[in-house]
Amino acid sequence: MSALTPAFLLGLLDDAAIFPPGNAPLAQAVADHAAYLRSAYAGAVGPLVVRTADLAQVGDVDVAVVTGLDEVHTAFAAAGSRLRSVEVALPASAAAGEVRSLASLGVEVCVEVPRDDRAEAVLAELAVAGLRAKFRTGGPRGDLYPSEAELASAITTAVAFGVPFKATAGLHHAVRRTDPGTGFEEHGFLNLLVATGRALDGATASDVEAALAARDEAAVATAVLALGPAVRDAFRSFGTCSISEPLADLARLDLLPHAWREGAA
């Protein structure tokens, strides 16, 4: 990790280039990922996020594998020493307790928390099993974006249970905004950092919700700089189909080292 990397950015950006809306060809994603790891901002870049079927074509690169509950062991065996983490989606029929079987893998496991009445029970099981959560924060349809209240509840519950989490999808910009093309209400990844900090400080769910809803870019940026290291112990990373896009936002907000700027713009 580069000494130039701000603490709040260390390993924050999981490289999910092959997933929507980026949909990069796998070979291009692998080549781009290698370039990111040679850049000044390499310390901000996490693993390449792939599917189990992609593993034979990615070469010797650290990966996070997205897979189903019934395919976890296949992914684990296929990835070998390249495996940084497994990201597991629970089928609609799965009971919360089924996540406990994943604790035996011996690697980082992130379980996507369903947006239904199983959510709190799943988080409780993840706490018992020592696993991590994954929150979906957007997608190609408006209904895939949780409201500020729903996401605040998820973050507050995860923090209360001591469950670290990552986020995925929809975090295209640093600060909350309305997408001018789609009209979707997009969460900002800096807002999530601030909201996590508030939850760790014991704030109410409504205060955490207010942090997610904030649109004043300067105020959000200032709040991020005041966060302690415990925030990143809780909010581990987020998947992004573009590494340059979040860095460009951070450069505009004057949150990047000047040595990064040419490559991040």
Side-chain angles (χ1 to χ4, degrees):
M1 293 288 185
S2 169
L4 292 174
T5 306
F8 78 90
L9 267 177
L10 283 169
L12 184 64
L13 309 176
D14 289 344
D15 186 358
I18 68 170
F19 292 89
N23 297 314
L26 182 60
Q28 185 63 55
V30 171
D32 289 346
H33 188 75
Y36 300 147
L37 298 182
R38 295 191 300 267
S39 72
Y41 48 87
V45 181
L48 182 66
V49 186
V50 298
R51 306 174 184 91
T52 304
D54 302 321
L55 288 167
Q57 304 173 64
V58 299
D60 186 18
V61 60
D62 287 348
V63 293
V65 181
V66 177
T67 187
L69 188 62
D70 58 346
E71 299 174 343
V72 169
H73 292 283
T74 299
F76 180 82
S81 62
R82 299 171 294 176
L83 188 63
R84 284 270 301 276
S85 66
V86 177
E87 301 182 12
V88 182
L90 290 181
S93 59
E98 291 186 46
V99 304
R100 293 198 186 192
S101 65
L102 301 171
S104 63
L105 288 176
V107 297
E108 178 184 306
V109 177
C110 298
V111 176
E112 184 168 334
V113 178
R115 295 176 60 198
D116 56 32
D117 57 8
R118 295 173 294 167
E120 184 170 345
V122 168
L123 285 166
E125 292 289 352
L126 296 180
V128 171
L131 304 177
R132 298 182 178 185
K134 176 180 174 180
F135 296 134
R136 186 159 295 276
T137 47
R141 305 189 313 271
D143 63 291
L144 295 175
Y145 289 78
S147 67
E148 295 104 317
E150 180 184 343
L151 187 55
S153 176
I155 291 171
T156 302
T157 304
V159 167
F161 284 146
V163 176
F165 62 90
K166 72 167 291 183
T168 187
L171 296 175
H172 301 296
H173 293 278
V175 178
R176 184 167 183 84
R177 67 170 207 155
T178 304
D179 184 279
T182 64
F184 296 163
E185 297 297 326
E186 295 183 344
H187 294 287
F189 61 86
L190 293 186
N191 294 81
L192 264 73
L193 287 168
V194 176
T196 303
R198 290 194 182 177
L200 287 165
D201 289 340
T204 64
S206 61
D207 287 335
V208 176
E209 181 180 341
L212 292 172
R215 295 174 184 253
D216 184 328
E217 292 186 333
V220 173
T222 298
V224 166
L225 292 177
L227 294 172
V231 169
R232 290 302 317 284
D233 291 335
F235 177 20
R236 302 299 298 166
S237 65
F238 70 94
T240 175
C241 64
S242 167
I243 297 297
S244 61
E245 191 173 64
L247 293 180
D249 253 18
L250 292 171
R252 184 173 53 80
L253 295 173
D254 203 28
L255 290 175
L256 292 186
H258 286 278
W260 290 22
R261 291 172 185 270
E262 183 177 348

